[in-house]
């Protein structure tokens, strides 16, 4: 799902909170496999778990009562007093924005045609080489820096799972190498970073430097357990159907942050706006 969509930091759990000395520190450093552990990790806070959540990537509006966590597009402003997640479309270009990337950074097929995610009309970005990944990450990184400067506490890079729709032109290793660059950039800006969907790579979350998950329709597709196995309760669930919400709430309503939104993630008064919780 793609969207066009200064506050004090919220007191919350830390991504890494280790205070040790001498040999203990050395032993810890030798055993940790987390890719993106940085000196600034102590400044990174995770969203509160099992909290009221609203998904506003289609347009910002006053959050309903009880909401503690909100996701908004990186072009929008965060909400004072809430935990704010900043949405960026990191693996694909927004519809009509191909020229902002340049042809060399767009994925092409064997005939030289740009490859699109047909469901959203978005050109896929070419993350198949180190040089291209670094160029794309540099641009996305400016958005991540803006998220931090504007007061967000976390970033949600969308379309991590683009490789599953790329007809073999992008593979999982490409996606993981790229997300690691984004995790480094986010952590250097004192932002937590979410894994978006992509259950098949959830087990690699530590190696990839990912802190929590934002998952669409894990209730509908019976994937919520895949994410809790990897992230514990640090999972935010967005469902788009009544049946999906029912399944998510039945299995995980006492543990996870769960919301149902309409598929276009519209704003109140649009006529198609839906927001329901467990």
């Amino acid at each position: 799902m793609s969207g066009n969509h200064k506050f004090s930091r919220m007191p919350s759990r830390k991504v890494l909170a280790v205070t040790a000395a001498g040999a203990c520190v050395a032993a810890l450093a030798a055993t940790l496999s987390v890719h993106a552990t940085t000196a600034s990790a102590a400044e990174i806070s995770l969203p509160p778990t099992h909290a009221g959540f609203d998904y506003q990537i289609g347009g910002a509006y006053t959050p309903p009562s009880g909401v503690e966590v909100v996701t908004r597009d990186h072009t929008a402003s965060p909400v004072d007093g809430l935990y704010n997640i900043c949405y960026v479309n990191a693996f694909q270009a927004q519809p009509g924005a191909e020229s902002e990337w340049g042809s060399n950074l767009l994925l092409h097929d064997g005939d030289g045609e740009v490859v699109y995610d047909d469901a959203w009309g978005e050109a896929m970005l070419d993350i198949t080489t180190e040089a291209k990944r670094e160029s794309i990450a540099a641009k996305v990184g400016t958005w991540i820096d803006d998220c931090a400067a504007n007061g967000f506490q976390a970033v949600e890079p969308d379309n991590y799972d683009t490789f599953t729709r790329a007809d073999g032109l992008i593979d999982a290793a490409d996606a993981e190498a790229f997300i690691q660059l984004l995790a480094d950039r986010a952590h250097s800006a004192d932002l937590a970073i979410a894994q978006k969907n992509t259950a098949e790579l959830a087990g690699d979350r530590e190696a990839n430097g990912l802190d929590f998950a934002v998952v669409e329709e894990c209730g509908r597709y019976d994937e919520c357990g895949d994410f809790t196995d990897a992230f514990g309760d640090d999972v935010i669930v967005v469902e788009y159907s009544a049946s999906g919400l029912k399944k998510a709430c039945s299995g995980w309503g006492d543990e996870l942050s769960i919301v149902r939104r309409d598929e276009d993630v519209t704003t109140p008064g649009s006529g198609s706006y839906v927001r329901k919780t467990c």
Side-chain angles (χ1 to χ4, degrees):
M1 177 75 65
S2 298
N4 188 13
H5 312 254
K6 298 234 178 219
F7 66 94
S8 298
R9 283 189 177 273
M10 298 288 289
S12 59
R13 295 164 303 112
K14 303 299 183 183
V15 172
L16 184 63
V18 177
T19 56
C24 293
V25 172
L28 179 66
T31 56
L32 277 179
S33 61
V34 180
H35 174 80
T37 300
T38 67
S40 63
E43 300 301 321
I44 297 170
S45 60
L46 295 178
T49 59
H50 193 221
F53 174 69
D54 200 14
Y55 207 42
Q56 298 188 3
I57 64 173
Y61 53 89
T62 301
S65 176
V67 168
E68 299 177 59
V69 182
V70 65
T71 292
R72 287 182 168 181
D73 189 78
H74 70 95
T75 60
S77 298
V79 185
D80 288 343
L82 301 188
Y83 188 102
N84 294 270
I85 303 169
C86 189
Y87 172 97
V88 296
N89 193 358
F91 289 75
Q92 299 178 179
Q94 288 291 95
E98 295 89 342
S99 62
E100 297 178 10
W101 289 96
S103 179
N104 66 311
L105 296 181
L106 300 177
L107 185 68
H108 294 78
D109 62 20
D111 296 324
E113 299 295 323
V114 175
V115 181
Y116 282 82
D117 180 341
D118 292 333
W120 301 105
E122 297 178 352
M124 297 183 182
L125 300 177
D126 188 348
I127 57 170
T128 59
T129 71
E130 182 178 2
K132 290 184 177 183
R133 286 192 292 269
E134 289 179 351
S135 293
I136 295 168
K139 182 177 178 67
V140 176
T142 64
W143 302 338
I144 292 174
D145 291 347
D146 287 344
C147 293
N150 290 334
F152 288 88
Q153 290 112 318
V155 62
E156 175 193 329
D158 200 9
N159 293 308
Y160 186 28
D161 59 356
T162 293
F163 72 93
T164 67
R165 303 184 293 277
D167 295 326
L169 297 173
I170 302 172
D171 62 26
D174 297 325
E176 291 190 292
F178 182 62
I179 203 71
Q180 289 170 14
L181 295 177
L182 301 185
D184 285 345
R185 187 68 171 253
H187 290 158
S188 69
D190 292 340
L191 296 178
I193 182 170
Q195 172 166 325
K196 181 69 173 290
N197 301 327
T198 326
E200 55 269 63
L201 299 183
D204 296 338
R205 53 79 52 114
E206 287 190 348
N208 292 327
L210 302 171
D211 304 312
F212 66 103
V214 176
V215 185
E216 292 172 307
E217 302 197 285
C218 70
R220 176 182 177 184
Y221 293 111
D222 296 317
E223 292 181 337
C224 296
D226 296 330
F227 290 96
T228 58
D229 284 348
F231 291 91
D233 292 349
D234 293 310
V235 178
I236 294 171
V237 179
V238 184
E239 297 288 340
Y240 297 109
S241 68
S243 59
L245 179 67
K246 182 177 179 180
K247 288 178 67 176
C249 292
S250 176
W252 309 99
D254 293 335
E255 303 172 42
L256 307 182
S257 302
I258 302 172
V259 71
R260 178 188 171 193
R261 289 299 328 271
D262 54 285
E263 289 188 355
D264 291 326
V265 203
T266 61
T267 59
S270 68
S272 58
Y273 171 82
V274 174
R275 183 184 182 273
K276 297 183 181 297
T277 59
C278 298

